[in-house]
């Protein structure tokens, strides 16, 4: 851990300049395919360097991951101006990998102009990526029973941009209706702190439609966030939250590594498993004893 910390401290002055864009959505929404089209637009039309950090789900049984996102980014994966790195989720909730934040900083230090973070795609609770990016893009499918989710608080409310994907062929009309439904639903939410109104777009990575418009929306959001000071404030909040998360995790590991603490935890685990004490009471007692030991 110490060498990694020293490396991050060394490159820190070269970080912070790239756009950080989180892409999430339900499985099958076409996240990888859309990023491939969006990335090629940035590389070929705008001359930018693009990094993609994609997160693949890990098996709860074997712990393995397919890491197949590169196969769905066939053009971008072989583009000299792009870097595509699939990583296994390895258990953490929120759709991101344990070292995604570190990878973002390293990509920025390497000079990439835009860093995309593609999440696993597991549903409304997948909001961890918002805590590490500047712009949070939610991809949605028309006709998949998701339209009503637009009136619920959750991941939809936290999105900076919404895009209805696969708006082509026989699905074009349904996508237009879904866009209208979501645009109306967004009006029900209270205004954001920086007064940004999330746009709802339709895209087709297959036909290349809506890709330029989606990126224009990302740039518009960045301009708005910089003008309001929200972009810098958001990054400050994210850095502090990351530190607190690491402190909590580190303290937990350090405590359970102590032989005396491990014995106490094992004792209470047995009592909880035998239903002699509730998990809440056991946790409180373990914490109390650990603090007293300190």
């Amino acid at each position: 851990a110490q060498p990694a910390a020293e490396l991050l401290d060394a490159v820190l002055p070269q970080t912070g300049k790239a756009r950080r864009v989180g892409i999430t959505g339900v499985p099958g929404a076409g996240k990888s395919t859309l990023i491939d089209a969006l990335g090629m637009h940035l590389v070929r039309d705008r001359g930018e360097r693009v990094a993609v950090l994609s997160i693949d789900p890990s098996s709860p049984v074997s712990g393995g991951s397919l890491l197949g996102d590169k196969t769905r980014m066939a053009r971008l994966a072989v583009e000299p101006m792009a870097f595509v790195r699939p990583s296994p989720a390895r258990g953490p909730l929120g759709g991101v990998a344990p070292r995604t934040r570190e990878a973002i900083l390293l990509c920025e230090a390497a000079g990439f102009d835009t860093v995309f973070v593609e999440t696993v795609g597991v549903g409304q609770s997948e909001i961890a990526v918002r805590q590490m990016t500047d712009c949070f893009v939610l991809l949605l499918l028309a006709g998949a029973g998701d339209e009503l989710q637009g009136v619920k608080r959750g991941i939809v409310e936290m999105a900076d941009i919404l895009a209805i994907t696969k708006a082509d062929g026989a699905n074009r009309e349904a996508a237009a209706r879904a866009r209208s439904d979501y645009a109306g639903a967004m009006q029900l939410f209270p205004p954001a702190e920086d007064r940004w109104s999330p746009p709802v777009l339709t895209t087709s990575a297959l036909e290349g439609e809506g890709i330029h418009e989606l990126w224009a929306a990302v740039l518009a959001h960045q301009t708005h966030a910089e003008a309001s000071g929200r972009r810098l404030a958001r990054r400050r909040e994210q850095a502090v939250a990351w530190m607190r998360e690491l402190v909590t995790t580190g303290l937990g590991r350090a405590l359970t590594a102590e032989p005396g603490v491990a014995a106490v935890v094992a004792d209470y685990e047995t009592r909880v498993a035998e239903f002699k004490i509730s998990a809440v009471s056991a946790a409180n007692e373990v914490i109390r004893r650990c603090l007293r030991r300190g």
Side-chain angles (χ1 to χ4, degrees), residues 261 264-265 268-269 281-291:
V261 174
V264 170
V265 171
Y268 276 100
E269 285 178 346
S281 294
N284 289 338
E285 188 62 21
V286 169
I287 293 172
R288 186 184 67 80
R289 291 198 179 190
C290 291
L291 291 177

Side-chain angles (χ1 to χ4, degrees), residues 87-109:
S87 299
R90 292 179 181 168
L93 298 178
V96 294
R99 299 294 182 182
T100 300
R101 290 182 177 91
E102 288 94 325
I104 290 174
L105 294 179
L106 293 176
C107 287
E108 289 186 336

